[in-house]
Coordinates of all heavy atoms in Angstrom, one line a residue:
M8 N 0.8 -1.2 0.0 CA 0.0 0.0 0.0 C 0.9 1.2 0.0 O 1.8 1.3 0.8 CB -0.9 0.0 1.2 CG -1.8 1.2 1.4 SD -2.8 1.1 2.8 CE -4.3 0.6 2.0
P9 N 0.6 2.2 -0.9 CA 1.5 3.4 -0.9 C 1.3 4.3 0.3 O 0.3 4.3 1.0 CB 0.9 4.2 -2.1 CG -0.4 3.6 -2.5 CD -0.4 2.3 -1.9
R10 N 2.4 4.9 0.6 CA 2.5 5.8 1.8 C 1.9 7.2 1.5 O 2.1 7.7 0.4 CB 3.9 5.9 2.2 CG 4.1 6.8 3.4 CD 5.5 6.9 3.8 NE 5.7 7.9 4.8 CZ 6.8 8.2 5.4 NH1 7.8 7.4 5.2 NH2 6.8 9.1 6.3
H11 N 1.1 7.7 2.4 CA 0.5 9.0 2.2 C 1.1 10.0 3.2 O 0.9 9.8 4.4 CB -1.0 9.0 2.4 CG -1.7 8.2 1.3 ND1 -1.9 8.7 0.1 CD2 -2.2 6.9 1.3 CE1 -2.6 7.8 -0.6 NE2 -2.7 6.7 0.1
N12 N 1.9 10.9 2.7 CA 2.5 11.9 3.6 C 1.4 13.0 3.8 O 1.0 13.6 2.8 CB 3.8 12.5 3.1 CG 4.9 11.5 3.1 OD1 4.9 10.6 3.9 ND2 5.8 11.6 2.1
R13 N 1.1 13.3 5.0 CA 0.1 14.4 5.2 C 0.8 15.5 6.0 O 1.5 15.2 7.0 CB -1.1 13.8 6.0 CG -1.8 12.8 5.2 CD -2.9 12.2 6.0 NE -3.4 11.0 5.3 CZ -4.7 10.7 5.2 NH1 -5.6 11.4 5.8 NH2 -5.0 9.7 4.5
R14 N 0.5 16.6 5.6 CA 1.0 17.8 6.3 C 0.2 18.0 7.6 O -1.0 18.1 7.6 CB 0.9 19.0 5.5 CG 2.0 19.1 4.4 CD 1.8 20.5 3.8 NE 3.1 20.8 3.2 CZ 3.3 21.9 2.6 NH1 2.3 22.8 2.4 NH2 4.5 22.2 2.1
D15 N 0.9 18.2 8.7 CA 0.3 18.5 9.9 C 0.1 20.0 9.9 O 1.1 20.8 9.9 CB 1.1 18.1 11.1 CG 0.5 18.5 12.5 OD1 -0.7 18.8 12.5 OD2 1.2 18.5 13.5
K16 N -1.1 20.5 9.9 CA -1.4 21.9 9.8 C -1.2 22.6 11.2 O -1.2 23.8 11.2 CB -2.8 22.2 9.3 CG -3.0 21.7 7.9 CD -4.3 22.1 7.4 CE -4.4 21.6 5.9 NZ -5.7 21.8 5.4
G17 N -1.0 21.8 12.2 CA -0.7 22.4 13.5 C -1.9 23.1 14.1 O -3.0 22.9 13.6
P18 N -1.6 23.9 15.1 CA -2.7 24.6 15.8 C -3.3 25.6 14.8 O -2.7 26.0 13.8 CB -2.0 25.3 17.0 CG -0.6 25.4 16.6 CD -0.3 24.2 15.7
D19 N -4.5 26.1 15.2 CA -5.2 27.1 14.4 C -4.3 28.3 14.3 O -3.8 28.9 15.2 CB -6.5 27.5 15.1 CG -7.3 28.6 14.4 OD1 -7.0 28.7 13.2 OD2 -8.0 29.2 15.1
R20 N -4.1 28.7 13.1 CA -3.2 29.9 12.8 C -4.0 31.1 12.6 O -3.5 32.1 12.1 CB -2.4 29.6 11.6 CG -1.4 28.4 11.8 CD -0.6 28.2 10.5 NE 0.0 26.9 10.5 CZ 0.6 26.4 9.6 NH1 0.8 27.1 8.5 NH2 1.1 25.2 9.7
G21 N -5.3 31.1 12.9 CA -6.1 32.3 12.7 C -6.3 32.6 11.2 O -6.2 33.7 10.8
L22 N -6.6 31.6 10.4 CA -6.7 31.8 9.0 C -8.0 32.4 8.6 O -8.1 33.1 7.6 CB -6.6 30.4 8.3 CG -5.3 29.7 8.6 CD1 -5.2 28.4 7.8 CD2 -4.1 30.6 8.2
G23 N -9.1 32.2 9.3 CA -10.3 32.9 9.0 C -10.9 32.5 7.6 O -10.1 32.1 6.7
G24 N -12.1 32.6 7.4 CA -12.9 32.2 6.2 C -12.2 32.0 4.9 O -12.4 32.7 3.9
G25 N -11.3 31.0 4.8 CA -10.8 30.6 3.5 C -9.8 31.6 2.9 O -9.7 31.8 1.7
V26 N -9.0 32.3 3.7 CA -8.1 33.3 3.2 C -6.7 32.8 3.1 O -5.8 33.6 2.8 CB -8.2 34.6 4.1 CG1 -9.5 35.2 4.0 CG2 -7.8 34.3 5.5
G27 N -6.5 31.6 3.2 CA -5.1 31.1 3.0 C -4.3 31.2 4.2 O -4.7 30.8 5.3
W28 N -3.1 31.8 4.1 CA -2.1 31.7 5.2 C -2.1 33.1 6.0 O -1.1 33.5 6.5 CB -0.7 31.5 4.6 CG -0.4 32.3 3.4 CD1 0.3 33.5 3.4 CD2 -0.8 32.1 2.1 NE1 0.4 34.1 2.2 CE2 -0.3 33.2 1.3 CE3 -1.5 31.2 1.4 CZ2 -0.4 33.4 -0.1 CZ3 -1.7 31.3 0.0 CH2 -1.1 32.4 -0.7
A29 N -3.2 33.7 6.1 CA -3.3 35.0 6.9 C -3.4 34.6 8.4 O -3.9 33.6 8.7 CB -4.5 35.8 6.4
R30 N -3.0 35.6 9.2 CA -3.1 35.5 10.6 C -4.0 36.6 11.1 O -4.2 37.6 10.4 CB -1.8 35.5 11.3 CG -1.1 36.9 11.2 CD 0.3 36.9 11.8 NE 0.9 38.1 11.7 CZ 1.6 38.6 10.6 NH1 1.6 37.8 9.5 NH2 2.1 39.8 10.6
T31 N -4.6 36.5 12.2 CA -5.5 37.5 12.8 C -4.7 38.4 13.7 O -4.0 37.8 14.6 CB -6.7 36.9 13.5 OG1 -7.4 36.1 12.6 CG2 -7.6 38.0 14.0
E32 N -4.8 39.7 13.6 CA -4.2 40.6 14.6 C -5.3 41.5 15.1 O -6.1 42.0 14.3 CB -3.1 41.4 13.9 CG -1.8 40.7 13.6 CD -0.7 41.6 13.1 OE1 -0.8 42.8 13.4 OE2 0.2 41.0 12.5
S33 N -5.3 41.8 16.4 CA -6.2 42.7 17.0 C -5.5 44.0 17.4 O -4.3 43.9 17.9 CB -6.9 42.1 18.1 OG -7.7 41.0 17.7
G34 N -6.1 45.1 17.2 CA -5.5 46.4 17.7 C -6.6 47.4 18.0 O -7.8 47.0 17.9
P35 N -6.2 48.6 18.4 CA -7.2 49.6 18.7 C -8.1 49.9 17.5 O -9.1 50.5 17.6 CB -6.4 50.8 19.2 CG -5.0 50.5 18.9 CD -4.8 49.0 18.6
D36 N -7.6 49.6 16.3 CA -8.3 49.9 15.1 C -9.1 48.7 14.6 O -9.6 48.7 13.5 CB -7.4 50.4 14.0 CG -6.2 49.5 13.7 OD1 -6.0 48.5 14.5 OD2 -5.5 49.7 12.7
G37 N -9.3 47.7 15.4 CA -10.1 46.6 15.1 C -9.3 45.3 14.8 O -8.1 45.2 15.1
D38 N -10.0 44.3 14.3 CA -9.4 43.0 14.0 C -9.0 43.0 12.5 O -9.8 43.4 11.6 CB -10.3 41.8 14.3 CG -10.6 41.7 15.8 OD1 -9.7 42.1 16.6 OD2 -11.6 41.2 16.1
W39 N -7.8 42.5 12.2 CA -7.3 42.5 10.8 C -6.8 41.1 10.5 O -6.3 40.4 11.3 CB -6.1 43.4 10.7 CG -6.5 44.8 10.9 CD1 -6.6 45.5 12.1 CD2 -6.9 45.8 9.9 NE1 -7.0 46.8 11.9 CE2 -7.2 47.0 10.6 CE3 -7.1 45.7 8.5 CZ2 -7.6 48.1 9.9 CZ3 -7.5 46.8 7.9 CH2 -7.8 48.0 8.5
L40 N -6.9 40.7 9.2 CA -6.3 39.5 8.7 C -5.0 40.1 8.0 O -5.1 41.0 7.2 CB -7.2 38.8 7.7 CG -8.4 38.2 8.3 CD1 -9.3 37.6 7.2 CD2 -8.1 37.1 9.3
V41 N -3.9 39.5 8.4 CA -2.6 40.0 7.9 C -1.8 38.8 7.3 O -1.7 37.7 7.8 CB -1.8 40.6 9.1 CG1 -0.5 41.1 8.7 CG2 -2.6 41.6 9.8
R42 N -1.1 39.1 6.2 CA -0.3 38.2 5.6 C 1.0 38.8 5.2 O 1.1 39.9 4.7 CB -1.0 37.7 4.3 CG -0.2 36.6 3.5 CD -1.0 36.1 2.3 NE -1.3 37.2 1.4 CZ -2.3 37.2 0.6 NH1 -3.2 36.2 0.6 NH2 -2.5 38.2 -0.3
N43 N 2.1 38.2 5.5 CA 3.5 38.6 5.1 C 3.7 38.2 3.7 O 3.4 37.1 3.3 CB 4.5 38.0 6.0 CG 4.5 38.6 7.4 OD1 4.1 39.7 7.6 ND2 4.9 37.8 8.4
V44 N 4.3 39.1 2.9 CA 4.7 38.9 1.6 C 6.2 38.9 1.5 O 6.8 40.0 1.8 CB 4.1 39.9 0.6 CG1 4.5 39.6 -0.8 CG2 2.5 39.9 0.7
A45 N 6.8 37.9 1.1 CA 8.3 37.8 1.0 C 8.7 38.6 -0.3 O 7.9 38.8 -1.2 CB 8.8 36.4 0.8
G46 N 9.9 39.2 -0.2 CA 10.4 40.0 -1.3 C 10.4 39.2 -2.7 O 10.0 39.8 -3.7
S47 N 10.6 37.9 -2.6 CA 10.6 37.1 -3.9 C 9.2 37.0 -4.4 O 9.0 36.7 -5.6 CB 11.2 35.8 -3.6 OG 10.5 35.0 -2.6
Q48 N 8.2 37.2 -3.6 CA 6.8 37.0 -4.0 C 6.2 38.4 -4.4 O 5.1 38.4 -4.9 CB 6.0 36.4 -2.9 CG 6.4 35.0 -2.5 CD 6.2 34.0 -3.6 OE1 5.1 34.1 -4.3 NE2 7.1 33.2 -3.9
A49 N 6.9 39.5 -4.1 CA 6.4 40.8 -4.4 C 6.7 41.2 -5.8 O 7.9 41.5 -6.1 CB 6.9 41.8 -3.4
T50 N 5.8 41.1 -6.7 CA 6.1 41.4 -8.1 C 5.4 42.6 -8.7 O 5.6 42.9 -9.9 CB 5.6 40.1 -9.0 OG1 4.2 40.0 -8.8 CG2 6.4 38.9 -8.5
K51 N 4.7 43.3 -7.9 CA 4.0 44.5 -8.4 C 4.3 45.7 -7.6 O 4.9 45.6 -6.5 CB 2.4 44.3 -8.3 CG 1.9 43.3 -9.2 CD 0.4 43.2 -9.0 CE -0.2 42.1 -9.8 NZ -1.7 42.1 -9.6
H52 N 4.0 46.9 -8.1 CA 4.1 48.2 -7.3 C 2.9 48.4 -6.5 O 1.8 48.2 -7.0 CB 4.3 49.3 -8.3 CG 5.6 49.3 -9.0 ND1 6.7 50.1 -8.5 CD2 6.1 48.7 -10.1 CE1 7.7 49.9 -9.4 NE2 7.4 49.0 -10.3
Y53 N 3.0 48.8 -5.3 CA 1.9 49.2 -4.4 C 2.2 50.5 -3.7 O 3.3 50.9 -3.7 CB 1.7 48.1 -3.3 CG 1.3 46.7 -3.9 CD1 2.3 45.7 -4.0 CD2 0.0 46.5 -4.3 CE1 1.9 44.5 -4.5 CE2 -0.3 45.2 -4.9 CZ 0.7 44.2 -5.0 OH 0.3 43.0 -5.5
R54 N 1.2 51.1 -3.2 CA 1.3 52.4 -2.5 C 0.9 52.1 -1.0 O -0.2 51.7 -0.8 CB 0.5 53.5 -3.0 CG 0.6 54.7 -2.3 CD 1.0 56.0 -3.0 NE 1.6 56.0 -4.3 CZ 2.7 56.5 -4.6 NH1 3.5 57.0 -3.6 NH2 3.2 56.5 -5.8
C55 N 1.9 52.3 -0.1 CA 1.6 52.0 1.3 C 0.7 53.1 1.9 O 1.0 54.3 1.8 CB 3.0 52.0 2.1 SG 2.8 51.9 3.9
P56 N -0.4 52.7 2.5 CA -1.3 53.7 3.1 C -0.7 54.4 4.4 O -1.2 55.4 4.8 CB -2.6 52.9 3.4 CG -2.1 51.5 3.6 CD -0.9 51.4 2.6
G57 N 0.3 53.8 4.9 CA 0.9 54.4 6.1 C 1.8 55.6 5.9 O 1.8 56.6 6.6
C58 N 2.5 55.5 4.8 CA 3.5 56.6 4.5 C 3.3 57.2 3.1 O 3.9 58.2 2.8 CB 4.9 56.1 4.6 SG 5.3 54.8 3.3
D59 N 2.4 56.6 2.3 CA 2.1 57.1 1.0 C 3.3 57.0 0.0 O 3.3 57.6 -1.0 CB 1.5 58.5 1.0 CG 0.7 58.8 -0.3 OD1 0.0 57.8 -0.8 OD2 0.6 59.9 -0.7
H60 N 4.2 56.1 0.4 CA 5.4 55.9 -0.5 C 5.1 54.6 -1.2 O 4.3 53.7 -0.8 CB 6.7 55.8 0.2 CG 7.1 57.1 0.7 ND1 7.5 57.4 2.1 CD2 7.3 58.3 0.1 CE1 7.8 58.6 2.2 NE2 7.7 59.2 1.0
E61 N 5.8 54.4 -2.3 CA 5.7 53.2 -3.2 C 6.4 52.0 -2.5 O 7.4 52.1 -1.9 CB 6.3 53.5 -4.5 CG 5.8 52.5 -5.6 CD 6.3 53.0 -7.0 OE1 5.5 53.8 -7.6 OE2 7.3 52.5 -7.4
I62 N 5.8 50.8 -2.7 CA 6.4 49.6 -2.3 C 6.8 49.0 -3.7 O 5.9 48.6 -4.5 CB 5.4 48.6 -1.6 CG1 5.0 49.3 -0.3 CG2 6.1 47.3 -1.3 CD1 3.9 48.5 0.5
V63 N 8.1 48.9 -3.9 CA 8.5 48.4 -5.2 C 8.6 46.9 -5.2 O 8.8 46.3 -4.2 CB 9.9 49.1 -5.6 CG1 9.7 50.6 -5.8 CG2 11.0 48.7 -4.6
P64 N 8.6 46.3 -6.4 CA 8.7 44.8 -6.5 C 10.0 44.4 -5.8 O 11.1 45.1 -5.9 CB 8.8 44.6 -8.0 CG 8.0 45.7 -8.6 CD 8.3 46.9 -7.8
G65 N 10.0 43.3 -5.2 CA 11.1 42.7 -4.5 C 11.2 43.2 -3.0 O 12.1 42.7 -2.3
T66 N 10.3 44.0 -2.6 CA 10.3 44.5 -1.2 C 9.4 43.7 -0.3 O 8.2 43.6 -0.6 CB 9.9 46.0 -1.1 OG1 10.7 46.8 -2.0 CG2 9.9 46.6 0.3
P67 N 9.9 43.1 0.7 CA 9.0 42.4 1.7 C 8.1 43.4 2.3 O 8.4 44.5 2.6 CB 10.0 41.8 2.7 CG 11.3 42.0 2.3 CD 11.3 43.0 1.2
H68 N 6.8 43.0 2.5 CA 5.8 43.8 3.1 C 4.7 43.0 3.6 O 4.7 41.8 3.7 CB 5.3 44.9 2.0 CG 4.6 44.3 0.8 ND1 5.3 43.7 -0.2 CD2 3.3 44.1 0.6 CE1 4.5 43.3 -1.1 NE2 3.2 43.5 -0.7
V69 N 3.6 43.7 4.1 CA 2.5 43.1 4.7 C 1.2 43.4 3.9 O 1.1 44.6 3.5 CB 2.3 43.6 6.2 CG1 1.0 43.2 6.8 CG2 3.5 43.2 7.0
V70 N 0.3 42.5 3.8 CA -1.0 42.7 3.2 C -2.0 42.6 4.4 O -2.0 41.6 5.1 CB -1.4 41.8 2.1 CG1 -2.7 42.1 1.5 CG2 -0.3 41.8 1.0
A71 N -2.9 43.6 4.5 CA -3.9 43.5 5.6 C -5.2 44.0 5.1 O -5.3 44.8 4.2 CB -3.4 44.5 6.8
W72 N -6.2 43.4 5.7 CA -7.6 43.7 5.4 C -8.5 43.5 6.6 O -8.1 42.6 7.5 CB -8.1 43.0 4.2 CG -8.2 41.5 4.3 CD1 -9.2 40.7 4.6 CD2 -7.1 40.6 4.0 NE1 -8.9 39.4 4.5 CE2 -7.5 39.3 4.2 CE3 -5.7 40.8 3.6 CZ2 -6.7 38.2 4.0 CZ3 -4.9 39.7 3.5 CH2 -5.4 38.4 3.7
P73 N -9.6 44.2 6.8 CA -10.5 44.0 7.9 C -10.9 42.5 8.1 O -11.3 41.9 7.1 CB -11.6 44.9 7.7 CG -11.1 45.9 6.7 CD -10.1 45.2 5.9
A74 N -10.9 42.0 9.3 CA -11.2 40.6 9.5 C -12.7 40.3 9.1 O -13.0 39.2 8.7 CB -10.9 40.2 10.9
D75 N -13.5 41.3 9.3 CA -14.9 41.0 9.0 C -15.3 41.0 7.5 O -16.3 40.6 7.1 CB -15.8 42.0 9.7 CG -15.6 43.4 9.3 OD1 -14.6 43.7 8.6 OD2 -16.4 44.3 9.7
E76 N -14.3 41.4 6.7 CA -14.5 41.3 5.2 C -14.1 40.0 4.6 O -14.4 39.8 3.4 CB -13.8 42.5 4.6 CG -14.3 43.8 5.0 CD -15.7 44.1 4.5 OE1 -16.1 43.6 3.4 OE2 -16.4 44.7 5.3
H77 N -13.4 39.2 5.3 CA -12.9 37.9 4.9 C -12.2 37.9 3.5 O -12.4 37.2 2.6 CB -14.1 36.9 4.8 CG -14.7 36.7 6.1 ND1 -14.1 36.0 7.1 CD2 -16.0 37.0 6.5 CE1 -14.9 36.0 8.1 NE2 -16.0 36.6 7.8
G78 N -11.3 38.9 3.4 CA -10.4 38.9 2.3 C -10.9 39.7 1.0 O -10.5 39.4 0.0
S79 N -11.9 40.5 1.2 CA -12.4 41.3 0.1 C -11.2 42.0 -0.6 O -10.5 42.8 0.1 CB -13.4 42.3 0.5 OG -13.7 43.2 -0.5
S80 N -11.1 41.8 -1.9 CA -9.9 42.5 -2.6 C -10.0 44.0 -2.6 O -9.0 44.7 -2.7 CB -9.9 42.0 -4.0 OG -11.0 42.3 -4.7
A81 N -11.2 44.5 -2.4 CA -11.4 46.0 -2.3 C -10.9 46.6 -1.1 O -10.5 47.7 -1.0 CB -12.9 46.3 -2.4
D82 N -10.8 45.8 0.0 CA -10.3 46.3 1.3 C -8.9 45.9 1.6 O -8.4 46.3 2.7 CB -11.2 45.8 2.4 CG -12.6 46.4 2.3 OD1 -12.7 47.6 1.9 OD2 -13.6 45.8 2.5
R83 N -8.2 45.1 0.8 CA -6.8 44.7 1.1 C -5.9 45.9 0.8 O -6.0 46.6 -0.2 CB -6.4 43.5 0.2 CG -6.9 42.3 0.8 CD -6.4 41.1 0.0 NE -7.1 41.1 -1.3 CZ -7.1 40.1 -2.1 NH1 -6.3 39.1 -1.9 NH2 -7.8 40.2 -3.3
R84 N -4.9 46.1 1.7 CA -3.9 47.1 1.5 C -2.5 46.6 1.8 O -2.4 45.7 2.7 CB -4.2 48.3 2.5 CG -5.5 49.0 2.3 CD -5.5 49.8 1.0 NE -6.8 50.5 0.8 CZ -7.7 50.1 0.0 NH1 -7.5 49.0 -0.7 NH2 -8.8 50.7 -0.1
H85 N -1.6 47.0 1.0 CA -0.2 46.6 1.1 C 0.6 47.6 1.9 O 0.5 48.8 1.5 CB 0.4 46.4 -0.3 CG -0.2 45.3 -1.0 ND1 0.4 44.1 -1.2 CD2 -1.4 45.1 -1.6 CE1 -0.4 43.3 -1.9 NE2 -1.5 43.9 -2.2
W86 N 1.2 47.2 3.0 CA 1.9 48.1 3.9 C 3.3 47.8 4.0 O 3.7 46.6 4.0 CB 1.3 48.0 5.3 CG -0.1 48.5 5.5 CD1 -1.2 47.9 5.1 CD2 -0.5 49.6 6.3 NE1 -2.3 48.5 5.5 CE2 -1.9 49.6 6.3 CE3 0.1 50.6 7.0 CZ2 -2.7 50.6 7.0 CZ3 -0.6 51.5 7.7 CH2 -2.0 51.5 7.7
H87 N 4.2 48.8 4.2 CA 5.6 48.4 4.6 C 5.4 47.8 6.0 O 4.5 48.2 6.8 CB 6.4 49.7 4.8 CG 6.7 50.4 3.4 ND1 6.1 51.6 3.1 CD2 7.6 50.0 2.4 CE1 6.6 51.9 1.9 NE2 7.5 51.0 1.5
Q88 N 6.3 46.9 6.4 CA 6.2 46.3 7.7 C 6.3 47.3 8.8 O 5.5 47.3 9.8 CB 7.4 45.3 7.9 CG 7.4 44.6 9.2 CD 6.2 43.7 9.4 OE1 5.8 42.9 8.6 NE2 5.5 43.9 10.6
G89 N 7.2 48.3 8.7 CA 7.3 49.3 9.8 C 6.1 50.2 9.9 O 5.7 50.6 11.0
C90 N 5.5 50.5 8.7 CA 4.3 51.4 8.7 C 3.1 50.6 9.4 O 2.4 51.2 10.1 CB 3.9 51.8 7.3 SG 5.1 52.9 6.5
W91 N 3.0 49.3 9.1 CA 2.0 48.5 9.7 C 2.1 48.4 11.2 O 1.2 48.6 11.9 CB 2.0 47.1 9.1 CG 1.0 46.2 9.7 CD1 1.2 45.1 10.6 CD2 -0.5 46.3 9.6 NE1 0.1 44.6 11.0 CE2 -1.0 45.2 10.5 CE3 -1.3 47.1 9.0 CZ2 -2.4 45.0 10.6 CZ3 -2.7 46.9 9.1 CH2 -3.2 45.9 9.9
S92 N 3.4 48.2 11.6 CA 3.6 48.1 13.1 C 3.4 49.5 13.8 O 3.0 49.5 14.9 CB 5.1 47.7 13.3 OG 5.3 46.5 12.8
A93 N 3.5 50.6 13.1 CA 3.4 51.9 13.7 C 2.0 52.5 13.4 O 1.8 53.7 13.7 CB 4.5 52.9 13.1
R94 N 1.1 51.8 12.8 CA -0.2 52.4 12.5 C -1.0 52.9 13.6 O -1.8 53.9 13.4 CB -1.0 51.4 11.7 CG -1.7 50.3 12.5 CD -2.3 49.2 11.6 NE -3.0 48.2 12.4 CZ -2.4 47.3 13.2 NH1 -1.1 47.2 13.2 NH2 -3.2 46.5 13.9
S95 N -0.8 52.4 14.8 CA -1.5 53.0 16.0 C -1.0 54.3 16.4 O -1.7 55.1 16.9 CB -1.4 52.0 17.2 OG -0.1 51.9 17.6
R96 N 0.3 54.6 16.0 CA 0.8 56.0 16.3 C 0.6 57.0 15.2 O 0.5 58.1 15.4 CB 2.3 55.8 16.6 CG 2.7 55.0 17.8 CD 4.1 55.1 18.1 NE 5.1 54.8 17.0 CZ 5.5 53.6 16.7 NH1 5.1 52.6 17.4 NH2 6.4 53.5 15.7
R97 N 0.6 56.4 13.9 CA 0.5 57.3 12.8 C -0.8 57.3 12.0 O -1.2 58.3 11.5 CB 1.7 57.0 11.8 CG 3.0 57.2 12.4 CD 4.1 57.1 11.5 NE 3.9 56.2 10.3 CZ 4.9 55.7 9.6 NH1 6.1 56.0 10.0 NH2 4.7 55.0 8.6
G98 N -1.4 56.1 11.9 CA -2.6 56.0 11.1 C -2.4 56.1 9.6 O -1.3 56.5 9.2
P99 N -3.4 55.8 8.8 CA -3.2 56.0 7.4 C -3.1 57.4 6.9 O -3.6 58.3 7.6 CB -4.4 55.3 6.8 CG -5.3 55.0 7.9 CD -4.6 55.3 9.2
T100 N -2.5 57.7 5.8 CA -2.4 59.0 5.3 C -3.8 59.5 4.8 O -4.7 58.7 4.7 CB -1.4 59.0 4.1 OG1 -1.9 58.1 3.1 CG2 0.0 58.7 4.5
R101 N -3.9 60.7 4.6 CA -5.2 61.3 4.2 C -5.8 60.6 3.0 O -7.0 60.5 2.9 CB -5.0 62.8 3.9 CG -6.3 63.5 3.7 CD -6.2 65.0 3.4 NE -5.3 65.6 4.4 CZ -4.7 66.7 4.2 NH1 -5.0 67.4 3.1 NH2 -3.9 67.3 5.1
R102 N -5.0 60.2 2.0 CA -5.5 59.6 0.8 C -6.3 58.3 1.1 O -7.2 58.0 0.4 CB -4.3 59.2 0.0 CG -4.6 58.5 -1.3 CD -3.4 58.3 -2.1 NE -3.7 57.5 -3.3 CZ -2.8 57.2 -4.2 NH1 -1.6 57.5 -4.0 NH2 -3.2 56.5 -5.3
W103 N -6.0 57.6 2.2 CA -6.6 56.3 2.5 C -7.6 56.4 3.6 O -8.3 55.5 4.0 CB -5.5 55.3 2.9 CG -4.6 55.1 1.8 CD1 -3.3 55.6 1.7 CD2 -4.8 54.3 0.6 NE1 -2.8 55.2 0.5 CE2 -3.7 54.4 -0.2 CE3 -5.9 53.5 0.2 CZ2 -3.6 53.7 -1.4 CZ3 -5.8 52.9 -1.1 CH2 -4.6 53.0 -1.8
S104 N -7.8 57.5 4.2 CA -8.7 57.7 5.4 C -10.1 57.6 4.9 O -10.5 58.0 3.9 CB -8.4 59.0 6.1 OG -7.2 59.0 6.6

């Protein structure tokens, strides 16, 4: 009989409604689904709502969207890691408010 290797998915990683490898983060601005994007996976240009600067291809960053939206593409935003971490102190720029 052939062997079946099964991946142990481990404890609940906070994936929420079918959004893949996102985790849940809670903060004063609500609950968010957050996914890290490795530099090798970043292939497009994005504008960070935290600093309003461009995130160029090859730059590791974070994608976040409200947890209650379950991954709606309209609500996903790409943030620099530092901007995401500092959002409670700085908040989004006027363009994204």
